[in-house]
Amino acid sequence: MFFSSDDSAKTNTLNLFAKELKLRNTKKLHFKMDDSDIADAFVLPDANVVIYSGVIESMKN
């Protein structure tokens, strides 16, 4: 796979958070947290949302 290191605990937390948002998407989104210093995120056509942990670490609030 193209992920450097899946962080399962953060991935589970992220999916629980997203579920609470009650998004009304036509496709069910699947979130994946990748443990990497990269500050980036992207969405694949199959509705997989990949967030690198560097994004979270770079946030102030």
Side-chain angles (χ1 to χ4, degrees):
M1 204 147 207
F2 54 87
F3 305 112
S4 62
S5 176
D6 173 31
D7 189 327
S8 297
K10 288 180 182 175
T11 294
N12 289 337
T13 301
L14 187 57
N15 278 294
L16 289 172
F17 174 74
K19 186 176 180 180
E20 292 297 316
L21 294 177
K22 298 180 179 146
L23 301 171
R24 295 182 182 183
N25 297 357
T26 56
K27 289 185 178 182
K28 183 177 179 188
L29 298 175
H30 303 279
F31 292 86
K32 177 100 168 157
M33 179 69 70
D34 190 87
D35 189 24
S36 172
D37 292 338
I38 299 170
D40 199 7
F42 59 91
V43 181
L44 297 170
D46 64 355
N48 279 295
V49 180
V50 180
I51 302 173
Y52 291 101
S53 59
V55 168
I56 304 301
E57 293 165 9
S58 68
M59 295 177 150
K60 302 215 188 258
N61 289 323

